[in-house]
Amino acid sequence: MDAQGRGRAEHIDPADQWVLNPSTGEYELRLTPSAPQSALPGPRRVAPRGAAGRPGRAAAPAPEDREETRGSREGTRSGREETRGGREGRESRPGRSASGEAPSPRRRRGAPEEPPAGRRGRRPVKARKSRAKKAVMWTGGTMAFVLVAVGAAGWFYLKHLEGNVTTEDVGNAADSGFSKDEAFNILLLGTDKRTGKGNEGYGDKGSAGHADTTLLLHVAKDRSNATVLSIPRDLIVDIPDCPTKDADGNETVIPGSQGVRFNTSLGQEGRNAGCTMRTVEEMTGIDVNHFMMADFNAVKTLTTAVGGVDVCLAKDVDDPDSHLKLSAGPHTLMGEDALAFVRTRHSFGNQGDLDRIKVQQQFLASLMRKMSSSDTLTSPSKLMKLAEAATKALTVDTGIGKVSTLKDVALELKKVPPKNISFTTVPVRDNPAETVKATVVVDESRAPDVFSAIANDVSFTAVKEKKAQEKAAVAARLKGTKSAPSEVRVRILNGGAPAGSASKTLEWLQNDEGVTKSENAGNADAALSRTTLEYAPEQAAQARRLAAIMGLSGAALKPGESVTNSQGLPTMTLTLGKDFKGAGVSLTPPAKAPDVEKSTADKVQCAG
C-alpha cells in the first residue's frame, strides 16, 4: 500500500464499514480497498535505459528483440503465462506509450500485412483471452483475501464485544443454551447497586444489589407475541434454598426464607440471580430459561447510545428525591435524566412502587420503539454504540454469554410486532397482615390465570394464528375412541417436576383412576418445561384415555415409538415436566389469557 493509500485508510470511519444486507436484515462488516483498484491489472511498464545508462530515455528496440520464437516467455508482464509465437509477449515489451497503449507492431520483411482496422485478427482475440484469464485469477485471489480479512475483522470485533459481557454461573437454574425454535423466558433484573460516577443519589448506600426492578420476558414459540410481566419489589414471597458457587468454585446452599420481600431474592445473604430465577419459578410455575442483569449505569448508557428515549408527562414533575424536574408534555431523555425518570417514586399516581412500575413499562416500551426504529437500525454508528453500551452494561448467565447468542436472542425478539408485546404486572393485593400497608401479596383469585397463560404460550393480545393447520392437527390427537383405563399401559418419569411426583402420580392413577398397568420408571435423562406423553400409532386410543384422565392438551401428546416396560411389553412414556402441579391437577392450558390491566409496546402513553 502506498503512502497515499495509507492516509486514506487511517481516516475511514469504522462505522462506515458496516453495511445492511437486505437479504438477512443484519449488518455485515465490509472492508473496502485502501486505494482505487482497476478492474483488470494493467501490464507492467518497464522504463528502458538510454544510451548513457540513465533510466527513462527511450531507445529503439534491437531487431532481435522484436522477433520472439514460439513458446518464449513474457519477460516483462507481471504474470508467467506462456505465449504462442511471441504475439502476446510484445504487449508488455518496452516502448509502450504513457497511456499504457502499445504502439503498432513493426512488420518484418516478407511477412503478410496485418488485417485492416475493423476486421478480426488472431492477435487481438488471443490478447483478450489472456487478459480474461488473468482477470479471473486476479479477481479470485482478491476476493479470497477480502473474505478472509472481513471474517477475521468480524471475528475480532465479536470477540471484543464478548469481552464486554460479564457472565455468571448459576448452575441448573438457567439453561445451558438457547433454542431459536422454542418459546423462551428471560428474567430481566435491574439492581439498586450503586456503581459508577453520579449514582450516589440512588439506591441504598452499600447495597449488594437487590432486585429493584424485575421483569419476566416471555416470547411465544411462533414469535407472534410477547409478554413482559413486572414483579413488584415489595411483593411478599417464599425464597427457596439456593445453590450458589463462591469465588473459588465451591458450591454452597443458601437457606431459603419465607414471607420476605421479593427484592431480597438477589443480593441478600449472597444470593445471586439464580436465586431470583428459582423464586420466580416457585411463585409462578413458569420455567425461566435465562437472566440478564444491569445496574443504574445501563439506563444512562443505553439511552445515550440510541440518542434519547421519548417520554410523555401528563403534568409537571418536580421531585427533589430523584432530582427530576420536567414540564408536562413530550420530552427526549437520556443519561442522568432518563435514570431519574425511571427511579422516581413520588411523582406519579399514588406515589408507590406499583405506579412506578407502570411508568417503567412505558419507558421500556419507548426504548424498544427507539431501538427498532429505522433511524437506529440504518445507522451503523448508532448500532455500534448500542452494541458497546449493551454488552458493557449486562451480566448474563453462561448459557447466553456469547455475543452471537445474544444476537440470536435479539433477532428472535425483533420478529414480534410491537403491537403484540404486552406489559402487565403480577396481580396483587395489599398485605392483610399489615396495618400500615407497605407490602403486597399475590392475588390468588387472579394471578394463577396470568401465570398459566404465560406458561402455556397464550397471547395477551389478539394475534392471527400463524399455524392454523398445525393447531388443528394437534387438537385432532384428542379426537377418537378411548381405551378403558385398565388397558392403558404407561411408565412414568420425573422430568423436572417436584421430587416424588412420579410415585404420587402412579399411586393416584392405580388407586383412583383404575390405570393398573402403570409403573414408576424413575427420573428422565433431561428436564422438560412441559409434560409430555409419547406413544406409538397403535397406542393412540390409550393416549387419548390418559390425556382425558390427566387433563393433557393435544400439544402434550407426542406421536412416536413405544418402549418396553419391566414385563417386556410395549408401553407409553409419560414424562412429568416443570409445569406439573400435582396428581389430579389438570394440565390443559387456558383457551385465552385473562382480562387484566395491560399496555402494549406500540402505544405512546403519558405518565401522570
Side-chain angles (χ1 to χ4, degrees):
M1 183 185 293
D2 56 22
Q4 183 179 3
R6 286 194 299 269
R8 281 192 299 271
E10 291 172 356
H11 292 86
I12 294 176
D13 185 348
D16 293 336
Q17 295 177 304
W18 288 86
V19 181
L20 180 66
N21 185 334
S23 300
T24 63
E26 300 185 42
Y27 276 87
E28 299 175 353
L29 184 64
R30 297 184 183 174
L31 303 181
T32 57
S34 60
Q37 302 285 342
S38 171
L40 292 176
R44 181 181 177 187
R45 294 193 292 273
V46 179
R49 301 183 66 86
R54 290 175 298 184
R57 179 173 296 182
E64 59 268 26
D65 290 335
R66 291 195 301 270
E67 297 182 17
E68 296 179 19
T69 61
R70 180 181 300 272
S72 64
R73 295 181 181 274
E74 295 179 342
T76 56
R77 289 181 66 99
S78 61
R80 295 183 58 87
E81 294 179 319
E82 294 186 355
T83 64
R84 290 182 179 270
R87 289 192 294 271
E88 295 169 359
R90 281 195 290 271
E91 292 179 354
S92 60
R93 291 171 47 209
R96 277 189 177 273
S97 66
S99 65
E101 295 294 325
S104 301
R106 298 181 181 181
R107 183 168 58 88
R108 289 179 295 167
R109 291 181 180 179
E113 292 185 358
E114 294 288 334
R119 293 176 59 187
R120 294 185 62 183
R122 292 182 180 180
R123 197 167 300 167
V125 172
K126 284 185 175 289
R128 282 196 294 269
K129 287 183 179 179
S130 176
R131 288 183 180 183
K133 182 177 180 181
K134 286 180 175 290
V136 171
M137 293 173 62
W138 181 88
T139 304
T142 302
M143 286 303 297
F145 173 79
V146 170
L147 289 174
V148 170
V150 169
W155 183 84
F156 279 117
Y157 185 67
L158 286 178
K159 284 298 179 183
H160 160 71
L161 292 178
E162 209 158 281
N164 292 341
V165 181
T166 301
T167 59
E168 185 172 8
D169 185 359
V170 294
N172 61 5
D175 294 352
S176 58
F178 174 73
S179 174
K180 294 190 287 185
D181 301 321
E182 299 293 336
F184 61 90
N185 301 303
I186 298 180
L187 195 65
L188 308 177
L189 296 169
T191 76
D192 59 2
K193 190 172 184 179
R194 303 192 305 180
T195 59
K197 184 179 179 181
N199 293 327
E200 294 81 4
Y202 303 102
D204 300 326
K205 186 176 181 180
S207 172
H210 295 119
D212 190 62
T213 299
T214 306
L215 306 103
L216 179 61
L217 168 65
H218 169 79
V219 179
K221 181 177 181 178
D222 63 2
R223 309 302 185 244
S224 66
N225 67 92
T227 304
V228 182
L229 179 69
S230 292
I231 302 174
R233 54 171 290 177
D234 296 325
L235 177 65
I236 298 300
V237 297
D238 292 337
I239 300 175
D241 293 346
C242 181
T244 60
K245 292 183 179 180
D246 58 25
D248 298 326
N250 300 317
E251 185 172 292
T252 59
V253 177
I254 301 175
S257 301
Q258 285 70 46
V260 296
R261 277 182 166 87
F262 174 81
N263 68 336
T264 60
S265 64
L266 177 68
Q268 197 83 357
E269 300 180 14
R271 295 187 178 106
N272 60 19
C275 302
T276 310
M277 295 173 70
R278 297 175 194 275
T279 302
V280 172
E281 288 185 347
E282 183 165 298
M283 176 181 69
T284 64
I286 299 170
D287 181 28
V288 182
N289 307 112
H290 304 284
F291 82 88
M292 296 181 182
M293 182 168 59
D295 59 17
F296 291 147
N297 282 329
V299 176
K300 296 193 289 187
T301 56
L302 288 174
T303 54
T304 301
V306 298
V309 175
D310 298 328
V311 300
C312 177
L313 297 176
K315 62 179 182 179
D316 295 344
V317 171
D318 187 359
D319 186 353
D321 292 331
S322 66
H323 310 293
L324 181 67
K325 187 173 183 179
L326 296 172
S327 60
H331 296 271
T332 300
L333 304 181
M334 68 177 72
E336 291 289 346
D337 290 337
L339 179 58
F341 182 81
V342 298
R343 285 292 303 157
T344 183
R345 297 185 62 172
H346 307 295
S347 302
F348 309 111
N350 296 321
Q351 302 185 5
D353 188 52
L354 295 179
D355 289 297
R356 182 177 68 164
I357 286 175
K358 295 178 182 178
V359 173
Q360 290 174 343
Q361 291 174 348
Q362 295 167 12
F363 183 87
L364 183 57
S366 181
L367 178 60
M368 285 182 173
R369 291 193 297 270
K370 189 61 174 285
M371 291 173 66
S372 62
S373 68
S374 58
D375 182 53
T376 300
L377 294 177
T378 58
S379 171
S381 59
K382 282 188 178 181
L383 284 174
M384 292 182 73
K385 289 179 181 178
L386 184 58
E388 291 284 348
T391 51
K392 288 179 180 178
L394 290 176
T395 296
V396 302
D397 61 89
T398 54
I400 54 173
K402 293 184 177 181
V403 169
S404 58
T405 308
L406 291 173
K407 181 201 71 172
D408 289 341
V409 173
L411 290 177
E412 292 305 306
L413 179 58
K414 182 185 173 185
K415 296 177 181 179
V416 183
K419 66 178 182 179
N420 290 332
I421 300 178
S422 305
F423 292 87
T424 190
T425 305
V426 173
V428 297
R429 58 189 179 90
D430 289 336
N431 188 350
E434 295 177 338
T435 302
V436 179
K437 305 303 180 184
T439 62
V440 293
V441 296
V442 172
D443 187 341
E444 295 295 345
S445 66
R446 297 183 297 147
D449 291 339
V450 173
F451 301 154
S452 179
I454 295 174
N456 289 285
D457 211 15
V458 178
S459 176
F460 282 75
T461 58
V463 297
K464 293 182 178 179
E465 180 59 51
K466 289 186 175 181
K467 300 179 180 179
Q469 292 182 349
E470 180 179 337
K471 184 177 180 180
V474 168
R477 295 171 188 168
L478 299 174
K479 298 179 180 179
T481 59
K482 301 179 180 66
S483 300
S486 59
E487 298 301 318
V488 173
R489 188 180 292 110
V490 62
R491 65 178 192 138
I492 306 168
L493 296 172
N494 190 328
S501 294
S503 59
K504 292 178 181 177
T505 301
L506 175 65
E507 182 181 354
W508 170 70
L509 286 175
Q510 290 184 341
N511 297 334
D512 297 350
E513 300 298 331
V515 184
T516 55
K517 297 178 181 178
S518 53
E519 63 181 43
N520 184 353
N523 293 324
D525 294 333
L528 302 178
S529 59
R530 308 284 293 275
T531 296
T532 62
L533 175 62
E534 184 175 1
Y535 59 96
E538 62 273 14
Q539 297 170 318
Q542 295 182 43
R544 287 191 285 268
R545 171 57 67 189
L546 189 60
I549 292 173
M550 297 192 62
L552 298 176
S553 66
L557 272 60
K558 303 295 182 184
E561 299 179 353
S562 63
V563 296
T564 303
N565 66 5
S566 57
Q567 286 81 38
L569 299 173
T571 183
M572 301 184 295
T573 300
L574 174 67
T575 305
L576 306 178
K578 294 181 180 179
D579 63 335
F580 184 75
K581 299 298 187 300
V585 179
S586 175
L587 292 174
T588 302
K592 63 178 182 178
D595 185 14
V596 294
E597 184 179 359
K598 63 180 182 291
S599 60
T600 54
D602 64 318
K603 296 293 193 308
V604 178
Q605 296 180 309
C606 291

